[in-house]
Structure formats: structure tokens, C-alpha cells
């Protein structure tokens, strides 16, 4: 009888411990449109996490990008998200005009990644060569609830314009914008992304284009987190000169609901897997560990802080 009782107790103990031993974490990576930069980098990150974090299942979700991503994080519907710095600040401040009805207080930063370049590209036949030339013309300003769309508003305002000055405003993701331009149904597109974004490469190889400059004085009117930058010559087919523009830093963000241990592993694997990210997209070459812990308008996750302390980036 004693053996029977002991055996039953052992079986119960084993049953109770099994779920813990096999407990599986889930990481949903929130990205952007499939033709942008967030998505291929997100796919690479999802694979890295799935391969290197024990008992983790990953999913990569295509979204409307920054604003939607941050709202989904706050709602507990994602564990890692890509976002632009200005969208992140607006979310933390609860900027209703930017799409945030309340302060998103659960957001925590994993780290800074690469800069987004404001890339305004027009068909050559549209005659658009400057920002002022956009008046009365059709422009795609990015998907609704995207960081690109917020960037569009900021750039136009600094140039003394609003959507009312445009001939037509389209709220479209990158690939759809390019399709309309190829069909002569759209004059220009503003795309906030890493250099060499697939949609614009596709457009430049099929149609003559003009990459429109955003002068330094216009960027200075917006101020931080926007900075002046250069789109190097030959980034796109037919672009034979450097083009001044604006840039804003992207961040990887998580939620306070994510455990410190998981956030630590997520952070560590990002900055110790840079070759894989560089292979996924050229923008990955601009991700630097040295600047990862800097500049975020939202607090770093404690798990990320632990990693940065180990690397000597935070005392």
C-alpha cells in the first residue's frame, strides 16, 4: 500500500512539473508592409528567436507599421515591434492627433536600430523636382496609422504645406503606391524606410524617377527626432547624385508584460546576430550595438538594461 501511495504521489509530482519543463513562450513580431524594411528584418528576427531561444514559438505579423504596432503592444497582442522614434514619442505622450487616444504606458524599449530615410520619389514625367512642386499633384503618404504617414505630415508642414495643398492624397503601403505610379495614376510617393527599400528599387528599374530633396533648413524646422541625412548616389537606378533628406531613428520595442529574462534574450540575440540581419536587408548594416541604448523616448526594458550593463553601455 505504501508503494502504491508513493507511486501515485510521484506520478502527480511528475505531471505537475511537466508543463513547467515544457512551458512555451510566444513571441509575435509586429513589422509593417511586406514590401518595406520592417518585414524582412522581422522575419529574420523571428527565425533567430525560434532557433536560439528554447521553448519559444515565433510568429511574424505584417501590419500597417509604427502606430498600429504600438497599439497592439499595449493591448498585449505582440511581444516585439518595429517603430519610428517620433511615433514612439507620440505613443508615450498619448498624442491623440497622431493616433493615440491615451498614453501607452506599457511600452518598453529593447533598443535603437537603423535610421529611416524620408524618400520622396516622383515619376520624371510628373515634373516634380522640389517639395514645392508637390502642390496640386497626387502623393501617396503611406498607410493609415503608419509612421510614414506621420512623417509625411511633418515634412509637408515644415515645407509650408498640408494635405489640402495636394491634388490628391493616397493612403497606401509602399508596393501599392509604386503600382499606381507604374500605371501613371500617381505622381509621387513618400516612403520612410531604410535605404534601398524594395518598392523603390522596383520602381526605379521600370520607370524614370526623380528623388526629391528635403533641404536641411526644412529638416531643422521640424527638429528632433528628425536629423539631416543623405541618400547616396546610385541608391536607386537613375539617381546619379547624392540627395539631401531627413532621417529618424527606428526602435525595437516590447511590453512591460514581457519577462525580464525573455527581454534579455531578445535584446542579446538582436545585437549578437547582426550578420543575419545584414543578410536580410541592407538596412541591417546600420544597426550598431554602440548606439542601441541611446535616445529612446520610452524607458528601456529591465531585461534590455541587464544586457547593456553586461556590454558596458550602461553603468
Amino acid at each position: 500500500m505504501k508503494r502504491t501511495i508513493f507511486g501515485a504521489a510521484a506520478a502527480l509530482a511528475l505531471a505537475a512539473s511537466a508543463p513547467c519543463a515544457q512551458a512555451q513562450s510566444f513571441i509575435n513580431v509586429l513589422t509593417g508592409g511586406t514590401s518595406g524594411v520592417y518585414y524582412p528584418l522581422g522575419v529574420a528576427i523571428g527565425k533567430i528567436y525560434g532557433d536560439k531561444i528554447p521553448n519559444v514559438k515565433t510568429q511574424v505579423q505584417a501590419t500597417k507599421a509604427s502606430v498600429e504596432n504600438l497599439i497592439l503592444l499595449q493591448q498585449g497582442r505582440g511581444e516585439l515591434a518595429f517603430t519610428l522614434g517620433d511615433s514612439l514619442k507620440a505613443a508615450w505622450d498619448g498624442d491623440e492627433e497622431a493616433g493615440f487616444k491615451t498614453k501607452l504606458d506599457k511600452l518598453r524599449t529593447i533598443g535603437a536600430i537603423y535610421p529611416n530615410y524620408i524618400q520622396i520619389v516622383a515619376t520624371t514625367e510628373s515634373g516634380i523636382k522640389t517639395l514645392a512642386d508637390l502642390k496640386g499633384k497626387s502623393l501617396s503618404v503611406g498607410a493609415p496609422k503608419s509612421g510614414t504617414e506621420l512623417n509625411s505630415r511633418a515634412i509637408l508642414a515644415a515645407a509650408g504645406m498640408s494635405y489640402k495643398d495636394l491634388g490628391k492624397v493616397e493612403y497606401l503601403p509602399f508596393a501599392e503606391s509604386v503600382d499606381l505610379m507604374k500605371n501613371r495614376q500617381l505622381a509621387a510617393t513618400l516612403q520612410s524606410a531604410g535605404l534601398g527599400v524594395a518598392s523603390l528599387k522596383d520602381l526605379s528599374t521600370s520607370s524614370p524617377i526623380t528623388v526629391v530633396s528635403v533641404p536641411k533648413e526644412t529638416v531643422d524646422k521640424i527638429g528632433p527626432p528628425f536629423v539631416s541625412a543623405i541618400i547616396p548616389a546610385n541608391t536607386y537606378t537613375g539617381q546619379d547624385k547624392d540627395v539631401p533628406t531627413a532621417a529618424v531613428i527606428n526602435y525595437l520595442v516590447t511590453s512591460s508584460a514581457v519577462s525580464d529574462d525573455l527581454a534579455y534574450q531578445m535584446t542579446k540575440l538582436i545585437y549578437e546576430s547582426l550578420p543575419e540581419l545584414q543578410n536580410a536587408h541592407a538596412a541591417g548594416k546600420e544597426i550598431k550595438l554602440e548606439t542601441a541604448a541611446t535616445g529612446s523616448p520610452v524607458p528601456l526594458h529591465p531585461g534590455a538594461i541587464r544586457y547593456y550593463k553586461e556590454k558596458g553601455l550602461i553603468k
Side-chain angles (χ1 to χ4, degrees):
M1 182 174 177
K2 286 181 180 178
R3 283 198 301 270
T4 304
I5 292 171
F6 178 78
L12 284 170
L14 182 63
S17 65
C20 295
Q22 297 175 3
Q24 188 173 65
S25 297
F26 186 76
I27 300 176
N28 186 25
V29 183
L30 304 167
T31 59
T34 55
S35 59
V37 178
Y38 287 173
Y39 188 78
L41 286 178
V43 170
I45 290 169
K47 185 176 189 308
I48 291 164
Y49 288 171
D51 289 347
K52 297 184 179 180
I53 303 179
N55 296 321
V56 157
K57 182 179 180 182
T58 62
Q59 173 181 302
V60 178
Q61 183 176 340
T63 68
K64 294 175 183 175
S66 297
V67 177
E68 182 181 20
N69 288 352
L70 297 172
I71 292 171
L72 289 172
L73 272 186
Q74 180 76 12
Q75 294 171 346
R77 296 166 63 189
E79 286 65 46
L80 185 75
F82 288 78
T83 182
L84 278 164
D86 57 334
S87 299
L88 186 57
K89 183 178 187 304
W92 189 248
D93 292 343
D95 184 341
E96 191 166 353
E97 189 175 336
F100 304 104
K101 295 180 180 178
T102 58
K103 174 185 171 72
L104 304 192
D105 59 355
K106 295 179 182 178
L107 303 180
R108 298 294 184 271
T109 298
I110 290 291
I113 43 175
Y114 65 93
N116 255 29
Y117 292 77
I118 307 301
Q119 299 168 80
I120 305 173
V121 175
T123 59
T124 300
E125 70 176 16
S126 71
I128 298 170
K129 295 181 180 179
T130 68
L131 287 174
D133 293 337
L134 290 169
K135 289 184 179 179
K137 301 291 176 66
S138 55
L139 173 70
S140 178
V141 296
K145 293 188 177 181
S146 71
T148 290
E149 202 264 312
L150 295 184
N151 289 174
S152 295
R153 293 189 212 176
I155 294 294
L156 289 173
M161 290 186 284
S162 71
Y163 291 167
K164 293 179 181 178
D165 295 300
L166 302 174
K168 187 178 182 182
V169 179
E170 297 282 4
Y171 297 87
L172 295 172
F174 295 172
E176 286 87 337
S177 301
V178 164
D179 286 343
L180 285 187
M181 292 176 76
K182 287 180 180 178
N183 293 328
R184 298 181 173 181
Q185 295 175 287
L186 181 69
T189 178
L190 187 151
Q191 303 195 2
S192 180
L195 292 175
V197 62
S199 53
L200 296 179
K201 280 195 165 184
D202 174 35
L203 177 64
S204 70
T205 56
S206 60
S207 308
I209 63 163
T210 300
V211 182
V212 179
S213 168
V214 180
K216 184 180 184 301
E217 54 268 27
T218 301
V219 181
D220 291 344
K221 286 180 183 177
I222 309 173
F226 289 83
V227 296
S228 292
I230 294 291
I231 302 172
N234 302 312
T235 297
Y236 301 106
T237 302
Q239 179 214 339
D240 57 4
K241 295 179 181 178
D242 289 353
V243 177
T245 193
V248 60
I249 297 296
N250 286 286
Y251 290 88
L252 285 171
V253 185
T254 187
S255 160
S256 57
V258 171
S259 73
D260 291 1
D261 284 344
L262 184 57
Y264 168 80
Q265 292 180 79
M266 288 163 62
T267 308
K268 177 183 174 73
L269 285 170
I270 292 295
Y271 297 100
E272 296 187 2
S273 305
L274 293 182
E276 289 97 318
L277 299 185
Q278 291 165 6
N279 287 336
H281 196 281
K285 296 174 183 176
E286 299 189 64
I287 302 175
K288 312 287 185 189
L289 174 60
E290 300 78 46
T291 55
T294 61
S296 175
V298 167
L300 289 166
H301 193 289
I305 291 173
R306 175 182 153 198
Y307 175 69
Y308 295 135
K309 282 184 175 179
E310 285 182 1
K311 304 306 288 186
L313 297 175
I314 295 177
K315 293 183 179 179

